[in-house]
Amino acid sequence: MKLRILGCSGGIGGALHTTSFLLDNDVLIDAGTGVGSLSFSEMLEIDHVFLTHSHLDHISSIPFLVDSVGYLRKLPLTIHAIPETIDALKKHIFNDVIWPDFSLIPSAGNPYMRYQQIEIGETRELDGRKITTIPANHTVPAVGYHLDSGQGSIAFSGDTTTNDAFWDAVNRISNLKHLIVETAFSNSELEIAKLSKHLCPSMLLEELKKFRKNIPVHITHLKPGEMSVIMQEIEQGTAGERPRMLTNGQVFEF
Ligand SMILES: [Zn+2]
Ligand SMILES: [Zn+2]
């Protein structure tokens, strides 16, 4: 399996895009503004979108993606998400006010997109590739993902704050090769990090004490303008191999 980072910022500006990862050529993990850097033919190849949660920075490209390529697709684009995320998309985005309901266009029998509910802890297998939701703790119902090729795995926290269940889940993955975990704020914004159910470096360092694997840790969702402060604060508190910043265009093979 190959995972290409299309967006891994907490915001936009210049080369910064919000969360979206391309798994092989046909699966998106979240669909933030990073999707906009794909070519038209690359967008046409996407059959599945797995969402972590309903926040705009993780879903903003779905309406444009469906509208751009829908009429050329043979099968609907499948949106995999927990029930609360699907409800939010139906109610607040594809509601015929903000955007058309493409789950009924051009017809209910053969629409441009469809929803497929996934539960926490459930595994979906696509051509031998296993995609499993793992627990997250955020202001809205949310999940992270475990991507398993059989040879190796990557785990992604999604948006989360402190959460023992996440660390229990990743500690159980025997072939885990990389961990991608969010740190949205700097330490000066500890209170905002707690209120918005994200992490800041001091919180991350406490969380990493629960992690029992010695593998590379990649930091995502950094607030634009605070990237170097956040990474410095993480590095100052880490001995041994230090977490590194996830970067746009980075590719993982596993
Ligand atoms: Zn969020
Ligand atoms: Zn986010």
Side-chain angles (χ1 to χ4, degrees):
M1 281 160 92
K2 197 168 80 177
L3 189 72
R4 179 172 140 206
I5 307 305
L6 306 177
C8 54
S9 176
I12 59 166
L16 299 179
H17 304 293
T18 69
T19 308
S20 187
F21 309 154
L22 180 65
L23 183 66
D24 297 329
N25 296 324
D26 57 335
V27 180
L28 286 175
I29 307 296
D30 276 340
T33 67
V35 178
S37 56
L38 292 175
S39 68
F40 185 78
S41 59
E42 286 174 317
M43 288 197 294
L44 201 49
E45 286 188 63
I46 293 164
D47 293 325
H48 302 274
V49 180
F50 286 80
L51 295 175
T52 57
H53 65 301
S54 60
H55 280 159
L56 193 60
D57 53 328
H58 300 253
I59 63 149
S60 62
S61 285
I62 302 174
F64 303 117
L65 174 65
V66 174
D67 194 25
S68 299
V69 301
Y71 74 107
L72 287 172
R73 293 189 52 80
K74 292 193 175 63
L75 291 169
L77 176 75
T78 304
I79 310 293
H80 307 259
I82 54 174
E84 296 89 340
T85 304
I86 292 175
D87 287 347
L89 287 176
K90 287 179 177 172
K91 188 172 174 194
H92 301 294
I93 302 289
F94 296 99
N95 56 6
D96 291 327
V97 178
I98 296 294
W99 212 242
D101 182 356
F102 281 113
S103 69
L104 299 173
I105 294 173
S107 69
N110 189 26
Y112 288 173
M113 66 183 277
R114 65 184 180 130
Y115 301 101
Q116 198 161 5
Q117 208 167 293
I118 191 166
E119 305 299 331
I120 294 173
E122 188 180 341
T123 298
R124 200 137 287 166
E125 195 162 339
L126 300 173
D127 307 322
R129 301 166 297 178
K130 289 184 177 159
I131 300 170
T132 305
T133 52
I134 49 181
N137 177 16
H138 197 38
T139 51
V140 294
V143 293
Y145 281 101
H146 166 203
L147 314 172
D148 188 354
S149 68
Q151 318 288 318
S153 287
I154 291 184
F156 167 45
S157 68
D159 284 11
T160 192
T161 189
T162 57
N163 185 14
D164 288 353
F166 172 75
W167 297 105
D168 287 346
V170 295
N171 283 331
R172 282 198 298 270
I173 302 171
S174 58
N175 64 357
L176 190 63
K177 299 277 189 276
H178 294 273
L179 175 71
I180 300 172
V181 59
E182 76 124 280
T183 305
F185 293 103
S186 67
N187 281 336
S188 64
E189 293 162 306
L190 173 68
E191 287 312 313
I192 297 173
K194 284 181 178 169
L195 276 175
S196 60
K197 290 202 167 188
H198 281 288
L199 292 168
C200 69
S202 63
M203 297 164 81
L204 173 78
L205 294 170
E206 279 304 305
E207 289 296 284
L208 283 175
K209 290 177 183 169
K210 303 169 191 168
F211 189 41
R212 293 198 301 271
K213 298 197 180 269
N214 189 21
I215 57 159
V217 175
H218 307 267
I219 306 300
T220 187
H221 212 297
L222 295 82
K223 194 173 178 180
E226 290 197 289
M227 292 153 61
S228 53
V229 178
I230 293 169
M231 289 314 297
Q232 267 170 24
E233 289 175 345
I234 292 172
E235 282 168 18
Q236 281 162 6
T238 320
E241 195 181 351
R242 292 175 163 148
R244 37 196 111 159
M245 189 170 73
L246 192 65
T247 54
N248 244 4
Q250 200 169 346
V251 174
F252 298 90
E253 299 207 40
F254 59 103

Coordinates of all heavy atoms in Angstrom, one line a residue, residues 103-185:
S103 N -26.5 12.2 -3.5 CA -26.8 10.8 -3.3 C -28.1 10.5 -4.0 O -28.6 9.3 -4.1 CB -26.9 10.5 -1.8 OG -28.1 11.1 -1.3
L104 N -28.8 11.5 -4.6 CA -30.0 11.3 -5.4 C -29.9 11.8 -6.9 O -30.8 11.7 -7.6 CB -31.2 12.1 -4.8 CG -31.5 11.7 -3.3 CD1 -32.6 12.6 -2.8 CD2 -32.1 10.2 -3.3
I105 N -28.7 12.2 -7.2 CA -28.4 12.8 -8.6 C -27.5 11.9 -9.3 O -26.4 11.6 -8.8 CB -27.9 14.2 -8.4 CG1 -28.9 15.2 -7.8 CG2 -27.4 14.8 -9.8 CD1 -28.4 16.6 -7.4
P106 N -27.7 11.6 -10.6 CA -28.8 12.0 -11.4 C -30.1 11.1 -11.1 O -31.2 11.5 -11.4 CB -28.4 11.7 -12.8 CG -27.3 10.6 -12.7 CD -26.7 10.8 -11.4
S107 N -29.9 10.0 -10.4 CA -31.1 9.2 -9.9 C -30.8 8.5 -8.6 O -29.6 8.2 -8.3 CB -31.5 8.2 -11.0 OG -30.5 7.2 -11.1
A108 N -31.8 8.2 -7.9 CA -31.6 7.5 -6.6 C -31.0 6.1 -6.8 O -30.2 5.6 -6.0 CB -32.9 7.4 -5.8
G109 N -31.3 5.5 -8.0 CA -30.8 4.2 -8.3 C -29.3 4.2 -8.7 O -28.6 3.2 -8.5
N110 N -28.8 5.2 -9.3 CA -27.4 5.3 -9.7 C -26.9 6.7 -9.5 O -26.6 7.4 -10.5 CB -27.3 4.9 -11.2 CG -25.9 4.7 -11.7 OD1 -25.0 4.4 -10.8 ND2 -25.6 4.9 -12.9
P111 N -26.7 7.0 -8.3 CA -26.2 8.4 -7.9 C -24.7 8.6 -8.1 O -24.0 7.7 -8.3 CB -26.6 8.6 -6.5 CG -26.5 7.2 -5.9 CD -26.9 6.2 -7.1
Y112 N -24.3 9.9 -8.0 CA -22.9 10.2 -8.1 C -22.1 9.8 -6.8 O -21.0 9.4 -6.8 CB -22.7 11.7 -8.2 CG -23.0 12.3 -9.6 CD1 -23.0 13.7 -9.8 CD2 -23.3 11.5 -10.6 CE1 -23.3 14.2 -11.0 CE2 -23.7 12.0 -11.9 CZ -23.7 13.4 -12.0 OH -24.0 13.9 -13.2
M113 N -22.8 9.8 -5.7 CA -22.2 9.4 -4.4 C -23.2 8.6 -3.5 O -24.4 8.7 -3.7 CB -21.7 10.6 -3.6 CG -22.8 11.5 -3.1 SD -22.1 13.0 -2.3 CE -21.8 12.4 -0.6
R114 N -22.6 7.8 -2.6 CA -23.5 7.1 -1.7 C -22.7 7.0 -0.4 O -21.5 7.1 -0.3 CB -23.8 5.7 -2.2 CG -22.6 4.8 -2.3 CD -22.9 3.4 -2.9 NE -21.7 2.6 -2.9 CZ -21.5 1.4 -2.5 NH1 -22.6 0.8 -1.9 NH2 -20.4 0.7 -2.6
Y115 N -23.5 6.8 0.7 CA -22.9 6.7 2.0 C -22.9 5.3 2.5 O -23.8 4.5 2.3 CB -23.8 7.5 3.0 CG -24.0 9.0 2.7 CD1 -25.2 9.4 2.1 CD2 -23.0 9.9 3.0 CE1 -25.4 10.7 1.8 CE2 -23.2 11.2 2.7 CZ -24.4 11.7 2.1 OH -24.6 13.0 1.7
Q116 N -21.8 4.9 3.2 CA -21.7 3.6 3.8 C -21.2 3.8 5.2 O -20.1 4.2 5.5 CB -20.8 2.7 3.0 CG -21.0 1.3 3.4 CD -20.5 0.3 2.3 OE1 -19.8 0.7 1.4 NE2 -20.7 -1.0 2.5
Q117 N -22.1 3.4 6.1 CA -21.8 3.5 7.6 C -20.7 2.6 8.0 O -20.7 1.4 7.6 CB -23.1 3.2 8.3 CG -23.3 3.9 9.6 CD -24.7 3.8 10.1 OE1 -25.7 4.3 9.5 NE2 -24.9 3.0 11.1
I118 N -19.8 3.1 8.9 CA -18.8 2.2 9.5 C -18.8 2.5 11.0 O -19.0 3.6 11.4 CB -17.4 2.5 8.8 CG1 -16.4 1.4 9.2 CG2 -16.9 3.9 9.1 CD1 -15.1 1.5 8.3
E119 N -18.7 1.4 11.7 CA -18.7 1.5 13.2 C -17.3 1.6 13.7 O -16.3 1.2 13.1 CB -19.4 0.3 13.8 CG -20.8 0.1 13.3 CD -21.8 1.3 13.6 OE1 -21.6 2.0 14.6 OE2 -22.7 1.4 12.8
I120 N -17.1 2.1 15.0 CA -15.8 2.1 15.6 C -15.3 0.7 15.8 O -16.0 -0.1 16.4 CB -15.8 2.9 16.9 CG1 -16.1 4.4 16.6 CG2 -14.5 2.8 17.6 CD1 -16.4 5.2 17.8
G121 N -14.1 0.4 15.3 CA -13.5 -0.9 15.5 C -13.8 -1.8 14.3 O -13.2 -2.9 14.2
E122 N -14.6 -1.3 13.4 CA -14.9 -2.1 12.2 C -13.8 -2.1 11.1 O -13.2 -1.0 10.9 CB -16.3 -1.6 11.6 CG -16.8 -2.5 10.5 CD -18.1 -2.0 9.9 OE1 -18.8 -1.2 10.6 OE2 -18.5 -2.4 8.8
T123 N -13.6 -3.2 10.5 CA -12.6 -3.2 9.4 C -13.3 -3.4 8.0 O -14.3 -4.2 7.9 CB -11.7 -4.5 9.5 OG1 -11.0 -4.4 10.8 CG2 -10.7 -4.6 8.4
R124 N -12.9 -2.6 7.1 CA -13.4 -2.7 5.7 C -12.3 -3.2 4.8 O -11.2 -2.6 4.9 CB -13.9 -1.3 5.2 CG -14.9 -1.4 4.1 CD -16.1 -0.5 4.2 NE -17.0 -0.9 5.3 CZ -18.0 -0.2 5.8 NH1 -18.1 1.1 5.3 NH2 -18.8 -0.6 6.7
E125 N -12.5 -4.2 4.1 CA -11.4 -4.7 3.2 C -11.7 -4.4 1.8 O -12.8 -4.7 1.2 CB -11.4 -6.3 3.5 CG -10.1 -6.8 2.9 CD -9.8 -8.2 3.5 OE1 -10.3 -8.6 4.5 OE2 -9.0 -8.9 2.8
L126 N -10.7 -3.8 1.2 CA -10.8 -3.4 -0.3 C -9.6 -4.0 -1.0 O -8.5 -3.6 -0.8 CB -10.7 -1.9 -0.4 CG -11.8 -1.0 0.3 CD1 -11.4 0.5 0.1 CD2 -13.2 -1.3 -0.3
D127 N -9.9 -5.0 -1.8 CA -8.8 -5.7 -2.5 C -7.7 -6.1 -1.6 O -6.5 -5.9 -2.0 CB -8.3 -4.8 -3.7 CG -9.4 -4.3 -4.6 OD1 -10.4 -5.1 -4.8 OD2 -9.4 -3.2 -5.0
G128 N -8.0 -6.7 -0.5 CA -6.9 -7.1 0.4 C -6.4 -6.1 1.3 O -5.6 -6.4 2.3
R129 N -6.8 -4.8 1.1 CA -6.3 -3.7 2.0 C -7.3 -3.5 3.1 O -8.5 -3.4 2.9 CB -6.2 -2.4 1.2 CG -5.2 -2.6 0.0 CD -5.4 -1.4 -1.0 NE -6.7 -1.4 -1.6 CZ -7.1 -0.4 -2.4 NH1 -6.3 0.5 -2.8 NH2 -8.3 -0.4 -2.9
K130 N -6.8 -3.6 4.3 CA -7.7 -3.5 5.5 C -7.7 -2.1 6.1 O -6.6 -1.6 6.4 CB -7.3 -4.5 6.5 CG -7.6 -5.9 6.1 CD -7.2 -6.9 7.3 CE -7.6 -8.3 6.8 NZ -6.9 -9.3 7.6
I131 N -8.8 -1.5 6.2 CA -9.0 -0.2 6.7 C -9.9 -0.3 7.9 O -11.1 -0.7 7.8 CB -9.6 0.8 5.7 CG1 -8.6 0.8 4.5 CG2 -9.8 2.2 6.2 CD1 -9.2 1.5 3.2
T132 N -9.4 0.0 9.1 CA -10.1 -0.1 10.4 C -10.2 1.2 11.1 O -9.2 1.9 11.2 CB -9.4 -1.2 11.3 OG1 -9.2 -2.4 10.5 CG2 -10.1 -1.5 12.5
T133 N -11.4 1.5 11.6 CA -11.5 2.7 12.4 C -11.0 2.4 13.9 O -11.2 1.3 14.4 CB -13.0 3.1 12.6 OG1 -13.8 2.0 13.0 CG2 -13.6 3.6 11.2
I134 N -10.3 3.4 14.4 CA -9.9 3.3 15.8 C -10.4 4.5 16.6 O -10.7 5.6 16.0 CB -8.3 3.2 15.9 CG1 -7.6 4.3 15.0 CG2 -7.9 1.8 15.4 CD1 -6.1 4.1 15.0
P135 N -10.5 4.4 17.9 CA -11.2 5.5 18.7 C -10.4 6.8 18.7 O -9.2 6.9 18.7 CB -11.2 4.9 20.1 CG -10.9 3.5 20.0 CD -10.0 3.3 18.7
A136 N -11.2 7.9 18.6 CA -10.6 9.2 18.8 C -11.5 10.0 19.8 O -12.6 9.5 20.1 CB -10.6 10.0 17.5
N137 N -11.0 11.1 20.3 CA -11.8 11.8 21.4 C -11.7 13.3 21.0 O -10.8 14.0 21.2 CB -11.1 11.6 22.7 CG -11.7 12.4 23.8 OD1 -12.9 12.9 23.7 ND2 -11.1 12.5 25.0
H138 N -12.8 13.8 20.3 CA -12.9 15.1 19.7 C -14.2 15.8 20.1 O -15.0 15.2 20.8 CB -12.7 14.9 18.2 CG -12.3 16.2 17.5 ND1 -11.4 17.1 18.0 CD2 -12.6 16.6 16.3 CE1 -11.2 18.1 17.1 NE2 -12.0 17.8 16.0
T139 N -14.4 17.0 19.7 CA -15.6 17.7 20.0 C -16.8 17.2 19.3 O -18.0 17.5 19.8 CB -15.5 19.3 19.7 OG1 -15.1 19.4 18.4 CG2 -14.5 19.9 20.6
V140 N -16.7 16.5 18.2 CA -17.8 15.8 17.6 C -17.3 14.4 17.5 O -16.2 14.0 17.6 CB -18.0 16.4 16.1 CG1 -18.5 17.8 16.2 CG2 -16.8 16.3 15.3
P141 N -18.3 13.4 17.3 CA -17.9 12.0 17.2 C -16.9 11.9 16.1 O -17.0 12.4 15.0 CB -19.2 11.3 16.8 CG -20.3 12.2 17.4 CD -19.8 13.6 17.3
A142 N -15.8 11.1 16.4 CA -14.7 11.1 15.5 C -14.0 9.7 15.6 O -14.1 9.0 16.6 CB -13.7 12.2 15.8
V143 N -13.2 9.4 14.6 CA -12.4 8.2 14.6 C -11.0 8.5 14.0 O -10.8 9.5 13.3 CB -13.0 7.0 13.8 CG1 -14.3 6.5 14.4 CG2 -13.2 7.4 12.3
G144 N -10.0 7.6 14.3 CA -8.8 7.5 13.6 C -8.8 6.3 12.6 O -9.9 5.6 12.6
Y145 N -7.7 6.1 11.9 CA -7.7 4.9 11.0 C -6.4 4.1 11.2 O -5.4 4.6 11.4 CB -7.9 5.3 9.6 CG -9.3 5.6 9.2 CD1 -9.8 7.0 9.2 CD2 -10.2 4.6 9.0 CE1 -11.1 7.3 8.9 CE2 -11.6 4.9 8.7 CZ -12.0 6.2 8.7 OH -13.3 6.5 8.4
H146 N -6.6 2.8 11.0 CA -5.5 1.8 10.9 C -5.5 1.2 9.5 O -6.5 0.6 9.1 CB -5.7 0.7 12.0 CG -4.9 -0.5 11.8 ND1 -5.2 -1.7 12.4 CD2 -3.7 -0.7 11.2 CE1 -4.2 -2.6 12.1 NE2 -3.3 -2.0 11.3
L147 N -4.5 1.5 8.8 CA -4.4 1.0 7.4 C -3.4 -0.1 7.4 O -2.2 0.0 7.8 CB -3.9 2.2 6.5 CG -4.6 3.5 6.7 CD1 -3.9 4.6 5.9 CD2 -6.0 3.4 6.4
D148 N -3.8 -1.3 6.9 CA -3.0 -2.5 7.0 C -2.9 -3.2 5.7 O -3.9 -3.7 5.1 CB -3.6 -3.5 8.1 CG -2.7 -4.6 8.4 OD1 -1.7 -4.8 7.7 OD2 -3.1 -5.4 9.3
S149 N -1.6 -3.3 5.1 CA -1.4 -4.0 3.9 C -1.2 -5.5 4.1 O -1.1 -6.2 3.1 CB -0.2 -3.4 3.1 OG 1.0 -3.7 3.9
G150 N -1.0 -5.9 5.3 CA -0.6 -7.3 5.6 C 0.9 -7.3 5.9 O 1.4 -8.0 6.8
Q151 N 1.7 -6.5 5.1 CA 3.1 -6.4 5.3 C 3.4 -5.4 6.4 O 4.3 -5.5 7.2 CB 3.8 -5.8 4.0 CG 3.4 -6.4 2.7 CD 3.8 -7.8 2.6 OE1 5.0 -8.1 2.9 NE2 3.0 -8.7 2.1
G152 N 2.6 -4.4 6.5 CA 2.8 -3.3 7.5 C 1.6 -2.5 7.6 O 0.6 -2.6 6.9
S153 N 1.6 -1.6 8.7 CA 0.5 -0.8 9.0 C 0.9 0.6 9.3 O 2.0 0.9 9.8 CB -0.2 -1.3 10.3 OG -0.9 -2.5 10.0
I154 N 0.0 1.5 9.0 CA 0.1 2.9 9.5 C -1.2 3.2 10.3 O -2.3 2.8 9.9 CB 0.2 3.9 8.3 CG1 1.5 3.7 7.5 CG2 0.0 5.4 8.7 CD1 1.7 4.7 6.4
A155 N -1.0 3.9 11.4 CA -2.1 4.4 12.2 C -2.1 5.9 12.2 O -1.1 6.6 12.3 CB -2.0 3.9 13.6
F156 N -3.4 6.5 12.1 CA -3.6 7.9 12.0 C -4.6 8.3 13.1 O -5.7 7.7 13.1 CB -4.1 8.2 10.6 CG -4.6 9.6 10.4 CD1 -4.0 10.7 10.9 CD2 -5.8 9.8 9.7 CE1 -4.5 12.0 10.8 CE2 -6.4 11.1 9.5 CZ -5.7 12.2 10.1
S157 N -4.3 9.2 13.9 CA -5.1 9.6 15.0 C -6.4 10.4 14.6 O -7.4 10.4 15.4 CB -4.4 10.5 16.0 OG -4.1 11.8 15.4
G158 N -6.4 11.0 13.4 CA -7.5 11.9 13.1 C -7.3 13.1 14.1 O -6.2 13.3 14.7
D159 N -8.4 13.9 14.3 CA -8.4 14.9 15.3 C -8.7 14.3 16.7 O -9.8 13.7 16.8 CB -9.4 16.0 15.0 CG -8.9 16.9 13.8 OD1 -7.9 16.6 13.1 OD2 -9.6 18.0 13.6
T160 N -7.9 14.6 17.6 CA -8.1 14.0 18.9 C -7.4 14.7 20.1 O -6.5 15.4 19.8 CB -7.7 12.5 19.0 OG1 -8.2 11.8 20.1 CG2 -6.2 12.4 19.0
T161 N -8.0 14.6 21.2 CA -7.2 15.0 22.4 C -6.8 13.7 23.2 O -6.7 12.6 22.6 CB -8.1 15.9 23.3 OG1 -7.3 16.5 24.3 CG2 -9.3 15.2 23.9
T162 N -6.5 13.8 24.4 CA -6.0 12.7 25.2 C -7.0 11.6 25.1 O -8.2 11.8 25.2 CB -5.8 13.1 26.7 OG1 -7.0 13.6 27.2 CG2 -4.7 14.2 26.8
N163 N -6.5 10.3 25.0 CA -7.4 9.2 24.8 C -6.7 7.9 24.9 O -6.0 7.4 24.0 CB -8.0 9.3 23.3 CG -9.0 8.3 23.0 OD1 -9.6 7.7 23.9 ND2 -9.3 8.1 21.8
D164 N -6.9 7.2 26.1 CA -6.3 5.9 26.3 C -6.7 4.9 25.3 O -5.9 4.0 24.9 CB -6.7 5.4 27.7 CG -6.0 6.2 28.8 OD1 -5.1 7.1 28.5 OD2 -6.3 6.0 30.0
A165 N -8.0 4.9 24.9 CA -8.5 3.9 23.9 C -7.7 3.9 22.6 O -7.4 2.9 22.0 CB -9.9 4.1 23.7
F166 N -7.3 5.1 22.2 CA -6.5 5.2 21.0 C -5.1 4.5 21.1 O -4.7 3.7 20.3 CB -6.2 6.7 20.6 CG -5.2 6.8 19.4 CD1 -5.6 6.6 18.1 CD2 -3.9 7.3 19.7 CE1 -4.7 6.7 17.1 CE2 -3.0 7.4 18.6 CZ -3.4 7.1 17.3
W167 N -4.5 4.7 22.3 CA -3.1 4.1 22.5 C -3.2 2.6 22.7 O -2.4 1.9 22.2 CB -2.4 4.8 23.7 CG -2.2 6.3 23.3 CD1 -2.9 7.4 23.8 CD2 -1.3 6.8 22.3 NE1 -2.5 8.5 23.2 CE2 -1.5 8.2 22.3 CE3 -0.3 6.3 21.5 CZ2 -0.8 9.1 21.5 CZ3 0.4 7.1 20.7 CH2 0.2 8.5 20.7
D168 N -4.3 2.2 23.4 CA -4.5 0.7 23.5 C -4.6 0.1 22.1 O -4.1 -1.0 21.8 CB -5.8 0.5 24.3 CG -5.7 0.8 25.7 OD1 -4.6 0.9 26.2 OD2 -6.7 0.9 26.4
A169 N -5.4 0.8 21.2 CA -5.6 0.2 19.9 C -4.3 0.2 19.1 O -4.0 -0.9 18.5 CB -6.7 1.0 19.1
V170 N -3.5 1.2 19.1 CA -2.3 1.2 18.3 C -1.2 0.3 18.9 O -0.4 -0.3 18.2 CB -1.7 2.7 18.0 CG1 -2.7 3.5 17.2 CG2 -1.4 3.4 19.3
N171 N -1.2 0.2 20.2 CA -0.2 -0.7 20.8 C -0.5 -2.2 20.4 O 0.4 -3.0 20.5 CB -0.3 -0.6 22.4 CG 0.5 0.7 22.8 OD1 1.4 1.1 22.2 ND2 0.0 1.2 24.0
R172 N -1.7 -2.5 20.1 CA -2.1 -3.9 19.7 C -1.7 -4.2 18.2 O -1.9 -5.3 17.8 CB -3.6 -4.1 19.9 CG -4.0 -4.3 21.4 CD -5.3 -5.0 21.5 NE -6.4 -4.2 20.9 CZ -7.1 -3.3 21.6 NH1 -6.8 -3.1 22.9 NH2 -8.0 -2.5 21.1
I173 N -1.3 -3.2 17.4 CA -1.1 -3.5 16.0 C 0.4 -4.0 15.9 O 1.3 -3.3 16.0 CB -1.2 -2.2 15.2 CG1 -2.6 -1.6 15.3 CG2 -0.9 -2.4 13.7 CD1 -2.8 -0.2 14.7
S174 N 0.5 -5.3 15.5 CA 1.8 -5.9 15.6 C 2.7 -5.5 14.5 O 3.9 -5.4 14.7 CB 1.6 -7.5 15.5 OG 0.9 -7.8 14.4
N175 N 2.1 -5.1 13.3 CA 3.0 -4.8 12.2 C 3.0 -3.2 12.0 O 3.3 -2.8 10.8 CB 2.6 -5.5 10.9 CG 1.2 -5.1 10.4 OD1 0.5 -4.3 11.1 ND2 0.8 -5.6 9.3
L176 N 2.8 -2.5 13.0 CA 2.8 -1.0 12.9 C 4.2 -0.4 12.5 O 5.2 -0.7 13.1 CB 2.3 -0.4 14.2 CG 2.0 1.1 14.1 CD1 0.8 1.4 13.2 CD2 1.6 1.6 15.5
K177 N 4.2 0.3 11.4 CA 5.4 0.9 10.9 C 5.5 2.4 11.1 O 6.6 3.0 11.3 CB 5.6 0.7 9.4 CG 5.6 -0.8 9.0 CD 7.0 -1.4 9.1 CE 7.0 -2.8 8.5 NZ 6.6 -3.8 9.5
H178 N 4.4 3.1 11.1 CA 4.4 4.6 11.2 C 3.1 5.0 12.0 O 2.1 4.4 11.8 CB 4.4 5.3 9.9 CG 5.6 5.1 9.1 ND1 6.7 5.9 9.2 CD2 5.9 4.2 8.1 CE1 7.6 5.5 8.3 NE2 7.2 4.4 7.7
L179 N 3.3 6.0 12.8 CA 2.2 6.6 13.5 C 2.1 8.1 13.1 O 3.1 8.8 13.2 CB 2.4 6.5 15.0 CG 1.3 7.2 15.9 CD1 0.0 6.4 15.8 CD2 1.8 7.3 17.4
I180 N 0.9 8.5 12.7 CA 0.6 9.9 12.4 C -0.3 10.4 13.5 O -1.4 9.9 13.6 CB 0.0 10.0 11.0 CG1 1.0 9.5 9.9 CG2 -0.3 11.5 10.7 CD1 0.4 9.4 8.5
V181 N 0.1 11.4 14.2 CA -0.7 11.9 15.3 C -0.8 13.4 15.2 O 0.2 14.1 14.9 CB -0.2 11.4 16.7 CG1 1.3 11.8 16.9 CG2 -1.1 11.8 17.8
E182 N -1.9 14.0 15.6 CA -2.1 15.4 15.5 C -1.5 16.2 16.7 O -1.4 15.6 17.8 CB -3.6 15.7 15.5 CG -4.3 15.6 16.8 CD -5.0 16.9 17.2 OE1 -4.3 17.8 17.7 OE2 -6.2 16.9 17.1
T183 N -1.0 17.4 16.4 CA -0.7 18.3 17.5 C -1.0 19.7 16.9 O -0.3 20.3 16.2 CB 0.8 18.3 17.9 OG1 1.1 16.9 18.3 CG2 1.1 19.2 19.1
A184 N -2.2 20.2 17.2 CA -2.8 21.3 16.5 C -2.3 22.6 17.0 O -2.2 23.6 16.3 CB -4.3 21.2 16.6
F185 N -2.0 22.7 18.3 CA -1.7 24.0 18.9 C -0.3 24.0 19.6 O 0.3 22.9 19.9 CB -2.7 24.3 20.0 CG -4.1 24.6 19.4 CD1 -5.1 23.6 19.5 CD2 -4.4 25.8 18.8 CE1 -6.3 23.9 19.0 CE2 -5.6 26.1 18.3 CZ -6.6 25.1 18.3

